[in-house]
Amino acid sequence: MGASNLSSPAHFPYSLRTLSILSNSRHALSLSFNSLPNPTAIFLSASIKHRSLAKHRRRGLAVSALQKLSETHSVAVSSDSDGNFPSNSGVYAIYDSGGDLQFVGITRNLAASVLAHRKSLPELCCAVKVAVVEDPDKTALTEAWKAWLQEHIAATGKVPPGNEPGNSTWVKRAPRKKSDLRLTPGRHVQLTVPLEDLVDRLVKENKVVAFIKGSRSAPLCGFSQRVVAILENQGVDYETVDVLDEEYNFGLRETLKNYSNWPTFPQIFVNGELVGGCDILTSMYEKGELAGMLK
Amino acid sequence: MASRVAISRASRIKTKLETALQAAVLEVEDVSHQHAGHAAVRHMEGGAQETHFNVRIVSAKFQDQNLVKRHRMVYDLLSDELQSGLHALSITAKTPKEAGIDNSN
């Protein structure tokens, strides 16, 4: 029952990309992204200009491509419901015991986010609506999030409390400020030891190191993003190194490929050993093998 | 070889893996279009063409090899491709037994 109520790709004939018209709505919502340690979730807070509400209603037609919030079935959240949510990317809406919408969020893993919210805020997390977003790049997810928020705002005139600017109810921990590690003081500083030795020391002195493209707060490739999301989800302490940083990690890509005998990025090391790339990390994560290794 | 340019990378990958791994199942899917906006390939000449592939292989040669070794086997076989513009591979490497198509017993 619960699972069959969830929207699956089969119920989702149109790609959310078709909603791009909404992104042109300057009056709509101002968004702020926080990347969080919390289960792969991207939280957003919204502020709204009320005079533009009428416009949202007129634009409402475009929203019909996405499953509407009001037409999505709500599923009661309990320890029994954990298996009922897909682990896909998507948008979700959380309701309290009075049936009031508390928060609309988007995530790379619906099941993990719902579980995390249920555990951290059981008193506010009584039922949830979820919709899988197909082809889920950041834009598509944001559009889905906007569509649901706008629908709710159009219907009630209110922003869900959890989405009010500055409300951190659903964002318990502050955004992680941890920064990416740099291997060198700068590309024009002569190294006294070979870069390979620096890599060797780095992976041996830190339990978990992910060499990624882009920074941990803004990975520049989908595979790196998934790696960061999985490690965040595991709640482990880990270091990241941006292999695209030509100033502080100059020459790292070639050095690392040779060091690890692995030709692509991202690369994840645990206890100085190469675990593999995104595929292997994902596979271990899905089989539940990762937690044991990261302990 | 003059003909080499005309053969797609997908078919070269397929041939190389097929020969070396005697794969029971071998699927090669060009997903470069999904990465057209990718920072590393955006500025490549001609855009993101033949840069990203999904590869699914079932081979008895993966028996007793951990995932890192299996992926390395694939990467080693495709080192020429990796040096000539192949940017990323998503690899699923299973033994016939793991894939549920083991007919040997």
Side-chain angles (χ1 to χ4, degrees):
Chain A
M1 42 144 273
S4 65
N5 287 340
L6 302 178
S7 74
S8 68
H11 303 132
F12 230 101
Y14 305 108
S15 160
L16 286 167
R17 288 174 194 283
T18 58
L19 293 175
S20 60
I21 182 171
L22 285 171
S23 64
N24 298 328
S25 165
R26 292 223 187 99
H27 306 277
L29 298 161
S30 71
L31 311 176
S32 62
F33 278 89
N34 297 312
S35 83
L36 278 190
N38 214 9
T40 67
I42 308 158
F43 288 88
L44 309 104
S45 64
S47 62
I48 186 111
K49 292 177 180 139
H50 285 276
R51 63 172 183 271
S52 61
L53 280 179
K55 276 191 178 149
H56 300 153
R57 287 199 194 95
R58 263 180 265 130
R59 286 172 198 271
L61 259 184
V63 183
S64 61
L66 164 70
Q67 177 154 355
K68 278 192 166 183
L69 178 61
S70 57
E71 289 166 3
T72 305
H73 290 283
S74 141
V75 181
V77 176
S78 70
S79 54
D80 297 333
S81 68
D82 288 344
N84 289 345
F85 301 103
S87 53
N88 308 51
S89 299
V91 57
Y92 61 92
I94 293 179
Y95 293 82
D96 63 14
S97 56
D100 286 329
L101 179 59
Q102 287 290 325
F103 179 69
V104 177
I106 51 180
T107 172
R108 290 279 166 200
N109 184 334
L110 287 163
S113 290
V114 172
L115 175 64
H117 288 315
R118 178 177 73 72
K119 285 196 168 159
S120 62
L121 289 164
E123 67 283 2
L124 283 178
C125 190
C126 294
V128 65
K129 295 182 177 183
V130 304
V132 171
V133 173
E134 278 188 278
D135 227 352
D137 60 15
K138 202 174 193 173
T139 313
L141 282 168
T142 309
E143 294 301 337
W145 176 82
K146 274 202 236 172
W148 273 23
L149 263 190
Q150 286 174 343
E151 185 189 337
H152 178 74
I153 291 161
T156 65
K158 284 186 289 193
V159 176
N163 294 101
E164 298 267 12
N167 183 309
S168 58
T169 310
W170 301 90
V171 192
K172 279 265 155 152
R173 284 172 284 180
R176 184 176 282 222
K177 288 291 194 294
K178 193 159 181 166
S179 53
D180 307 280
L181 293 184
R182 294 165 167 181
L183 276 170
T184 77
R187 67 184 288 179
H188 300 297
V189 180
Q190 188 73 41
L191 292 178
T192 52
V193 286
L195 189 59
E196 183 151 338
D197 291 2
L198 295 177
V199 171
D200 187 60
R201 207 182 297 164
L202 183 80
V203 299
K204 285 178 177 155
E205 286 175 357
N206 296 281
K207 185 164 171 61
V208 184
V209 182
F211 292 89
I212 59 172
K213 291 184 167 181
S215 65
R216 67 194 295 153
S217 53
L220 289 176
C221 115
F223 302 111
S224 294
Q225 187 171 356
R226 202 184 313 162
V227 163
V228 168
I230 287 174
L231 291 173
E232 290 289 349
N233 197 2
Q234 292 291 318
V236 294
D237 195 27
Y238 67 98
E239 304 298 335
T240 50
V241 183
D242 178 2
V243 300
L244 296 178
D245 184 338
E246 297 290 346
E247 178 60 31
Y248 296 102
N249 299 323
F250 185 65
L252 176 59
R253 289 194 297 283
E254 284 314 308
T255 303
L256 186 60
K257 283 180 187 178
N258 291 329
Y259 174 81
S260 59
N261 185 21
W262 194 264
T264 60
F265 305 101
Q267 297 185 11
I268 300 94
F269 287 77
V270 176
N271 298 326
E273 294 274 332
L274 177 72
V275 172
C278 179
D279 290 336
I280 293 180
L281 196 75
T282 305
S283 155
M284 295 182 76
Y285 173 64
E286 285 170 353
K287 286 189 210 153
E289 297 168 356
L290 200 55
M293 187 182 67
L294 297 177
K295 266 196 186 124
Chain B
M1 273 194 297
S3 63
R4 195 185 146 145
V5 281
I7 303 170
S8 74
R9 194 191 298 281
S11 60
R12 291 202 303 272
I13 290 175
K14 210 160 182 175
T15 310
K16 284 175 185 174
L17 296 180
E18 213 149 45
T19 319
L21 296 173
Q22 293 154 18
V25 175
L26 177 59
E27 291 164 15
V28 177
E29 187 191 359
D30 186 346
V31 291
S32 307
H33 62 280
Q34 292 176 5
H35 302 270
H38 193 298
V41 295
R42 200 181 297 148
H43 302 296
M44 276 172 64
E45 212 169 311
Q49 284 177 358
E50 304 200 301
T51 53
H52 292 67
F53 289 83
N54 291 343
V55 180
R56 183 170 168 261
I57 314 159
V58 177
S59 165
K61 299 215 169 190
F62 291 142
Q63 189 71 44
D64 302 323
Q65 306 280 349
N66 68 22
L67 283 177
V68 171
K69 285 187 182 150
R70 292 179 192 186
H71 283 229
R72 277 207 183 110
M73 286 163 75
V74 175
Y75 283 136
D76 286 347
L77 289 166
L78 301 178
S79 59
D80 287 354
E81 304 294 340
L82 284 157
Q83 276 158 26
S84 64
L86 173 56
H87 182 80
L89 284 176
S90 182
I91 302 171
T92 312
K94 290 185 172 167
T95 62
K97 204 169 176 182
E98 290 162 352
I101 53 168
D102 189 7
N103 302 319
S104 62
N105 47 16

